[in-house]
Amino acid sequence: MVAPVPMKANGSKVLKGPERVATLLFAMGKPAAGKILKHFSEEEIRLVTKSAAQLGPVSPTQIEQLVEEFASNFTDGADLIGGASHIEKLLTGILSPEQIASIMSEVVGNANRSIWERISTVSESAIASYLMKEHPQTAALILSKVKPSCAAKVMAQLPQPLRNNLMRRMLSMKPIVDETMKNIEKTLHEDFMANFSKNAGADTHAKIADIINKMERDHMEDVLTNLSTVRPKSAEILRGLLFTFDDIVKLTPKDRTTLFDQVPPDRVVLALKGTNDEFRKVVLSALSSRVRRMIEHELNSKEPSSHRDIAEARRTITDLALEMAGRGEIVINSETEDEAYF
């Protein structure tokens, strides 16, 4: 439960340290405030910015009191409404665009991220299971609020009768009273809190996996072996997220074809050098007859290539696969019959 904002007897908000600073900066205007802000450290600016973004209305009386406390010469107070947009304008021209972006992303960040955006990051199967236990009207409301891409994936997980029922309800959805909507959002936040935490952890593993994916094979194995001794569960999760050149055989035939359609033949030749016959057979099956014959001819020529060039070619193909998977063009680490050759 959110604690109530402290109020004075006259109903005005009690301003604390950073809020008082933010109020004075707004009252000064950009030119004067800019000169002062240049003397602030980045951490101090972040602190003041966070307070300014949530400042809200400040009465003329409060401004006059602040001016007196700081022995200033202000005589006329003005109503102020602090907000993220105001502080961003104030910082423009004082800090670099990169610094402003970094500070504002932290200030606005999750505060502007609605419950619906957060639910849209939960797996569709988890949302579908949740909705099947809810009243159809509630389920329809939730699907109408999440991202369309999320709603479509969830719909695919639902039984056809329920799916059709929810679609009809969504089409006839009427506006919801604000208080009712707030209660629904609060309940959803509580119900999905575990999923939000789980997704935050999943994001961390995904980022680490992306780093490990770009390491040399021996470095990759060394890191995973070390992690297995201290954090075995994390190591197991990371292994499931990794994708190496050897994992190309785990792609579906269709996805392999989609991938190698984007790879120049000379890059394929380099990448396949040093691989065994079965691996080559799987990769070459994804190519057109003409390209396959050309690559087979190059491989049979036995022309030597440096280990570095081969490793670079394989890394290029692996990175491309990860990029395409990120765009939803292919699915990596899928289970296929081709794994049997191992």
Side-chain angles (χ1 to χ4, degrees):
M1 181 177 179
V2 178
V5 176
M7 305 293 285
K8 292 182 178 179
N10 61 6
S12 60
K13 177 182 176 183
V14 176
L15 298 176
K16 297 181 180 180
E19 295 170 328
R20 291 150 65 90
V21 175
T23 300
L24 286 172
L25 289 173
F26 278 128
M28 290 177 189
K30 183 173 178 178
K35 294 178 181 178
I36 295 176
L37 281 171
K38 288 180 179 179
H39 298 282
F40 282 30
S41 68
E42 187 165 328
E43 185 58 36
E44 289 170 334
I45 293 176
R46 287 181 186 277
L47 183 61
V48 173
T49 302
K50 289 179 182 178
S51 299
Q54 302 173 0
L55 185 59
V58 181
S59 68
T61 303
Q62 287 177 288
I63 295 175
E64 290 175 4
Q65 290 172 346
L66 284 174
V67 169
E68 289 174 7
E69 288 181 35
F70 286 91
S72 301
N73 294 319
F74 286 89
T75 56
D76 296 317
D79 287 331
L80 294 174
I81 299 179
S85 60
H86 293 76
I87 195 65
E88 186 171 5
K89 289 179 181 178
L90 190 62
L91 294 174
T92 302
I94 300 169
L95 300 178
S96 69
E98 292 76 16
Q99 287 176 304
I100 295 174
S102 174
I103 291 172
M104 294 311 299
S105 66
E106 183 176 326
V107 171
V108 179
N110 291 331
N112 278 354
R113 215 174 157 215
S114 72
I115 181 66
W116 306 111
E117 288 179 288
R118 299 186 72 189
I119 288 178
S120 296
T121 66
V122 176
S123 71
E124 55 268 24
S125 58
I127 299 176
S129 297
Y130 181 86
L131 295 184
M132 285 192 281
K133 299 173 186 176
E134 293 294 314
H135 187 281
Q137 193 65 20
T138 303
L141 171 64
I142 293 172
L143 286 175
S144 69
K145 290 290 185 179
V146 299
K147 292 181 179 180
S149 57
C150 172
K153 291 177 181 178
V154 173
M155 284 285 199
Q157 301 278 330
L158 299 175
Q160 184 179 14
L162 177 58
R163 184 167 62 240
N164 293 336
N165 181 8
L166 295 182
M167 190 62 73
R168 290 193 297 269
R169 289 175 181 270
M170 289 168 68
L171 285 169
S172 58
M173 189 74 65
K174 291 182 172 58
I176 307 296
V177 179
D178 286 347
E179 193 61 34
T180 302
M181 182 62 76
K182 287 180 181 178
N183 289 333
I184 292 173
E185 291 177 349
K186 181 181 178 182
T187 301
L188 288 172
H189 187 274
E190 293 171 351
D191 291 346
F192 281 96
M193 183 60 72
N195 278 293
F196 294 151
S197 300
K198 181 180 178 182
N199 281 0
D203 287 344
T204 300
H205 283 96
K207 290 176 182 176
I208 300 301
D210 190 41
I211 294 172
I212 297 176
N213 263 321
K214 291 178 169 51
M215 291 181 172
E216 294 295 333
R217 185 61 187 241
D218 54 343
H219 294 166
M220 178 188 293
E221 288 300 330
D222 181 62
V223 167
L224 291 172
T225 300
N226 180 266
L227 278 175
S228 296
T229 61
V230 291
R231 299 187 63 176
K233 187 61 180 177
S234 290
E236 182 182 344
I237 294 172
L238 287 169
R239 285 188 184 278
L241 295 172
L242 296 179
F243 184 83
T244 67
F245 185 68
D246 293 339
D247 293 323
I248 283 174
V249 295
K250 297 180 183 178
L251 297 175
T252 63
K254 179 181 178 182
D255 284 349
R256 268 199 304 274
T257 299
T258 302
L259 170 62
F260 282 98
D261 278 347
Q262 306 298 319
V263 183
D266 61 332
R267 188 68 61 178
V268 179
V269 171
L270 271 174
L272 287 180
K273 288 190 174 183
T275 58
N276 61 49
D277 292 340
E278 287 298 325
F279 186 95
R280 289 186 184 184
K281 181 180 178 181
V282 172
V283 172
L284 292 173
S285 66
L287 309 175
S288 66
S289 299
R290 182 182 62 82
V291 175
R292 182 167 62 248
R293 286 195 300 270
M294 182 179 70
I295 290 176
E296 286 175 333
H297 175 74
E298 291 293 328
L299 289 173
N300 290 332
S301 69
K302 306 294 183 181
E303 184 177 342
S305 297
S306 70
H307 175 74
R308 180 177 178 178
D309 289 341
I310 293 173
E312 184 180 341
R314 293 178 180 178
R315 171 57 57 201
T316 300
I317 296 173
T318 302
D319 287 347
L320 176 60
L322 290 167
E323 290 172 10
M324 294 176 72
R327 297 193 295 266
E329 297 172 10
I330 63 173
V331 177
I332 63 174
N333 291 330
S334 60
E335 300 295 328
T336 74
E337 294 180 0
D338 289 328
E339 290 181 87
Y341 94 85
F342 283 113

